[in-house]
């Protein structure tokens, strides 16, 4: 996939210049010119000033812009060849210069742009080598010396991205959550954020059903019209089994960098316990409960079983410390975490641990282990217990919700910020109504 664009057309420009000169010569009438006694008037000719263009023409010759995506396993030689560059001096410069070498921090599919002359020598090379959604680092390599004695310069500079709000929405179909997200063109990193934002209130593995609806507004950084990186989900709405969940990112009025997600009316989204300790991914999607967690079952069993393939990641459901990591009869490989206020959580039948040690502090959502079938287990699954003063609780019915609610000035600031984002969500709702009518 390549694109050649002549940066301009010398033949066309030359033709325009010839026409101008012809017109200039034809202005003075021949008879008056030859009559020495005829009255003379000097008039300025309205000609375009083409000297700048002529100089550029003489200096640069025709150049071509050529773009190529980085490929896995690319070397400097293979990349330059695809870019149509045959320039050993340029190749040597890029392989040695530290700034130029940042080219090889690029991920596959990121685009490199080269300007080459008619002799396939490199005139300039441009690529976005790093950055986040709001700013990029651009590498610019330029030919500096003349073409007999070539030299190059490489510069890394920060350039601001154009921040856009992208909007997506959809309805979960029979094809399942991930296929619906793909069809709605929601990028994977945005899907992961959405799952994480609602992880205190929704278990995406077991709660999401066909007909559930979502609206998402997220930030994305663009440079020269091309996406550089997706940013944060700024507003999201999920209708799950007729229950409405909403989340809005708010930086806080004091600019303290301690932003968090709130409901649209200003209640905090954070919960002491996640709804599920098992990562919901394409891999684990579609796995159900091993046994439905009705009351008499979990009280006999003391916990809930989450079925998922061996190796699926297991997350701490709450902040705490590691109380035990190792093996116990029946449980197999097990992690026990201690949490504030007398709570503890048990994660059993694990295939392995994520390098955690007894006494280590753990944050909510942190990777602690991997699903397996060690101990008394007939298939890969996680046995999960939530205990209060060592008495097992049903983790699915214990809500333990004490959401923070904004008040006073913070609430005023939040509500004015919210109204702007809500208008975007309203637009998405409108689109949905229109498409369901059509
Ligand atoms: Zn179990």
């Amino acid at each position: 996939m390549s694109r050649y664009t002549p940066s301009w057309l010398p033949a066309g420009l030359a033709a325009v210049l010839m026409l101008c000169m012809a017109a200039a010569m034809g202005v003075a009438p021949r008879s008056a010119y030859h009559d020495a006694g005829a009255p003379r008037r000097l008039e300025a000719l309205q000609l375009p000033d083409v000297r700048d263009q002529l100089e550029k023409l003489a200096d640069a010759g025709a150049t071509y812009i050529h773009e190529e995506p980085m490929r896995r396993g690319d070397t400097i030689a293979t990349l330059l060849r695809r870019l149509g560059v045959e320039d050993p001096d340029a190749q040597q410069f890029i392989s040695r210069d530290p700034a130029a070498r940042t080219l090889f921090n690029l991920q596959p599919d990121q685009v490199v742009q080269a300007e080459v002359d008619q002799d396939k020598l490199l005139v300039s090379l441009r690529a976005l080598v790093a950055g986040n959604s709001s700013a990029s680092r651009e590498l610019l390599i330029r030919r500096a010396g003349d073409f007999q004695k070539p030299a190059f310069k490489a510069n890394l500079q920060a350039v601001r991205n154009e921040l856009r709000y992208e909007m997506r929405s959809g309805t979960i179909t029979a094809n399942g959550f991930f296929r619906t997200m793909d069809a709605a063109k929601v990028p994977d990193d945005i899907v992961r954020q959405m799952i994480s934002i609602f992880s205190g209130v929704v278990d995406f593995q077991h709660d999401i059903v066909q007909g559930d609806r979502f609206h998402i507004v997220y930030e994305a950084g663009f440079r020269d019209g091309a996406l550089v990186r997706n940013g944060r989900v700024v507003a999201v709405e999920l209708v799950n089994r007729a229950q409405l969940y909403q989340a809005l990112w708010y930086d806080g009025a004091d600019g303290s960098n301690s932003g968090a997600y709130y409901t649209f009316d200003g209640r905090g989204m954070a919960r002491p316990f996640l709804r599920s300790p098992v990562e919901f991914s394409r891999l684990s999607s579609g796995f159900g409960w091993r046994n439905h967690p009705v009351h008499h079952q979990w009280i006999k069993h003391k916990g809930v079983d989450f079925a998922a393939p061996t190796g699926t990641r297991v997350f701490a459901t709450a902040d705490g410390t590691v109380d035990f990591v190792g093996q116990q009869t029946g449980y197999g490989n097990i992690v026990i975490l201690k949490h504030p206020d007398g709570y503890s959580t048990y994660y059993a039948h694990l295939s392995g641990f994520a390098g955690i040690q007894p006494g280590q502090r753990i944050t909510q959502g942190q990777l602690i282990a991997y699903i397996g079938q060690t101990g008394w287990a007939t298939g890969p699954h996680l046995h999960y217990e939530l205990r209060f003063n060592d008495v097992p609780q049903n983790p699915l019915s214990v809500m333990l919700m004490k959401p923070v609610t904004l008040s006073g000035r913070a609430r005023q600031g939040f509500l004015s910020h919210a109204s702007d984002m809500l208008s975007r969500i309203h637009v998405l709702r409108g689109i949905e109504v229109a498409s369901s009518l059509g």
Side-chain angles (χ1 to χ4, degrees):
M1 198 190 81
S2 68
R3 179 166 72 87
Y4 277 101
T5 315
S7 56
W8 45 269
L9 296 166
L13 179 56
V16 171
L17 291 174
M18 297 287 274
L19 285 173
C20 291
M21 284 190 262
M25 285 191 287
V27 167
R30 190 177 168 83
S31 58
Y33 188 78
H34 285 276
D35 180 359
R40 303 266 159 142
R41 266 179 69 201
L42 286 174
E43 279 192 16
L45 296 173
Q46 296 296 314
L47 287 178
D49 188 350
V50 294
R51 280 170 303 183
D52 279 355
Q53 291 170 51
L54 281 169
E55 275 169 25
K56 276 183 196 154
L57 193 156
D59 275 353
T63 64
Y64 296 85
I65 305 292
H66 189 188
E67 286 183 355
E68 272 293 324
M70 201 71 165
R71 288 187 197 157
R72 208 170 289 283
D74 254 339
T75 64
I76 297 164
T78 59
L79 176 67
L80 290 182
R81 195 176 311 137
R82 284 209 314 284
L83 285 165
V85 179
E86 286 178 21
D87 191 338
D89 295 316
Q91 187 172 331
Q92 198 175 46
F93 172 80
I94 295 169
S95 65
R96 282 198 315 233
D97 183 83
R101 285 188 62 84
T102 57
L103 198 55
F104 291 87
N105 299 342
L106 288 184
Q107 300 295 310
D109 293 333
Q110 283 190 273
V111 171
V112 180
Q113 191 185 74
E115 184 185 4
V116 296
D117 69 7
Q118 284 163 320
D119 300 323
K120 299 186 175 179
L121 296 176
L122 185 69
V123 177
S124 70
L125 185 143
R126 241 158 56 108
L128 296 174
V129 292
N132 53 33
S133 59
S134 59
S136 298
R137 274 172 78 73
E138 186 182 60
L139 169 67
L140 179 62
I141 300 172
R142 254 185 308 212
R143 181 176 287 273
D146 59 35
F147 283 76
Q148 270 72 46
K149 206 177 152 198
F152 292 91
K153 273 189 177 149
N155 277 309
L156 281 166
Q157 54 182 358
V159 287
R160 283 203 76 74
N161 294 334
E162 179 203 342
L163 205 58
R164 293 187 198 163
Y165 288 112
E166 294 284 305
M167 306 201 287
R168 300 284 187 274
S169 73
T171 302
I172 306 297
T173 66
N175 294 327
F177 178 78
F178 285 104
R179 291 246 179 106
T180 302
M181 289 293 157
D182 290 343
K185 296 189 164 50
V186 186
D188 279 356
D189 50 336
I190 300 301
V191 173
R192 278 193 293 275
Q193 287 185 45
M194 177 184 175
I195 293 170
S196 166
I197 290 164
F198 291 123
S199 57
V201 287
V202 176
D203 170 2
F204 276 72
Q205 176 77 280
H206 303 103
D207 295 346
I208 295 291
V209 292
Q210 190 177 344
D212 284 357
R213 299 191 307 279
F214 64 89
H215 309 296
I216 306 177
V217 181
Y218 64 93
E219 294 171 339
F222 283 76
R223 181 88 191 134
D224 299 335
L227 174 69
V228 177
R229 196 158 298 191
N230 293 316
R232 195 193 301 282
V233 170
V234 289
V236 54
E237 190 171 78
L238 173 69
V239 181
N240 170 228
R241 301 177 191 243
Q243 173 83 40
L244 176 65
Y245 298 98
Q246 299 168 318
L248 187 72
W249 176 258
Y250 183 52
D251 270 328
D254 51 357
S256 59
N257 249 355
S258 59
Y261 286 98
Y262 295 87
T263 60
F264 288 0
D265 56 357
R267 284 174 291 123
M269 292 294 297
R271 296 290 184 277
F273 288 88
L274 300 182
R275 292 279 292 158
S276 166
V278 178
E279 181 185 33
F280 179 53
S281 64
R282 288 174 196 271
L283 188 72
S284 65
S285 172
F287 282 78
W289 305 102
R290 269 177 66 86
N291 43 12
H292 197 269
V294 291
H295 184 77
H296 66 271
Q297 266 179 349
W298 77 257
I299 198 79
K300 192 175 63 179
H301 186 88
K302 295 192 291 190
V304 176
D305 288 348
F306 293 88
T310 296
T312 300
R313 305 200 293 170
V314 175
F315 301 136
T317 52
D319 292 346
T321 55
V322 178
D323 193 39
F324 182 87
V325 49
Q327 294 187 342
Q328 290 186 4
T329 308
Y331 283 128
N333 292 327
I334 180 171
V335 172
I336 302 173
L337 301 182
K338 251 192 167 140
H339 309 287
D341 305 324
Y343 287 96
S344 54
T345 48
Y346 288 55
Y347 310 81
H349 307 316
L350 303 165
S351 61
F353 308 110
I356 54 171
Q357 305 294 327
Q360 183 182 335
R361 277 206 59 74
I362 299 287
T363 56
Q364 186 180 59
Q366 186 176 334
L367 171 67
I368 53 171
Y370 303 91
I371 281 184
Q373 51 177 336
T374 56
W376 300 339
T378 51
H381 74 281
L382 178 77
H383 171 92
Y384 173 64
E385 292 178 27
L386 171 64
R387 296 186 180 189
F388 177 66
N389 291 339
D390 221 26
V391 178
Q393 311 289 308
N394 184 347
L396 304 177
S397 61
V398 172
M399 288 308 275
L400 304 161
M401 280 200 277
K402 279 179 284 178
V404 183
T405 302
L406 294 172
S407 59
R409 254 184 49 199
R411 183 175 167 79
Q412 286 311 308
F414 171 82
L415 290 177
S416 67
H417 167 79
S419 68
D420 177 45
M421 281 303 148
L422 290 188
S423 66
R424 296 172 201 273
I425 291 283
H426 287 313
V427 168
L428 287 175
R429 290 184 189 136
I431 291 167
E432 187 177 73
V433 170
S435 63
S436 68
L437 289 175

